[in-house]
Amino acid sequence: MLTKPEEQTVKTIPCSDCGQPLPPNAKFCLHCGDPYHACPKCGHDHPAGAVKCPDCGAPLPMPCRECGELVDAEAKFCPSCGSSQVLACPGCNHEIKPGQKFCMECGHKLTWNESEGRE
């Protein structure tokens, strides 16, 4: 007895801006023009500048502070220009995370520029 092949379900991905479904292989939303920023793990569209995927929680690539190329969230160096992606406390050189207000090692109060890797 022959059976029908199981129908493959295509997961529709909603636009993070307007909520309309994005067509397969889209680079931007056909309804509002918002660019499609795909999560490398699940493909969910996320707003520009998001740190983690709103659907699966995976860390998202961030632009390099020197050249602007997208860099994996776990990378310590940019593969394009080689610049360090690790933020360091100016007081003790201990690694700090973006948005941190104080260094957890020496207690140095960090400015917004220091905690975001800007000069």
Side-chain angles (χ1 to χ4, degrees):
M1 175 181 195
L2 294 174
T3 60
K4 286 185 185 178
E6 290 184 31
E7 290 183 32
Q8 292 181 356
T9 56
V10 177
K11 181 181 174 185
T12 59
I13 299 167
C15 170
S16 66
D17 193 44
C18 72
Q20 294 294 319
L22 293 164
N25 302 321
K27 301 259 187 233
F28 59 91
C29 176
L30 298 176
H31 302 278
C32 70
D34 188 50
Y36 173 39
H37 301 285
C39 169
K41 185 174 179 184
C42 71
H44 187 83
D45 185 31
H46 59 83
V51 178
K52 65 180 186 175
C53 176
D55 193 47
C56 70
L60 297 170
M62 298 299 288
C64 171
R65 292 185 301 274
E66 293 295 321
C67 69
E69 194 72 30
L70 287 179
V71 178
D72 184 86
E74 305 299 318
K76 295 197 182 257
F77 295 92
C78 174
S80 292
C81 70
S83 68
S84 176
Q85 299 301 297
V86 178
L87 298 174
C89 170
C92 69
N93 231 13
H94 187 263
E95 184 176 341
I96 58 173
K97 301 292 180 201
Q100 221 173 294
K101 301 208 185 295
F102 292 90
C103 174
M104 300 302 281
E105 187 71 17
C106 72
H108 178 82
K109 183 176 181 179
L110 302 167
T111 64
W112 181 82
N113 286 339
E114 291 168 340
S115 68
E116 295 301 320
R118 296 182 177 39
E119 294 181 21

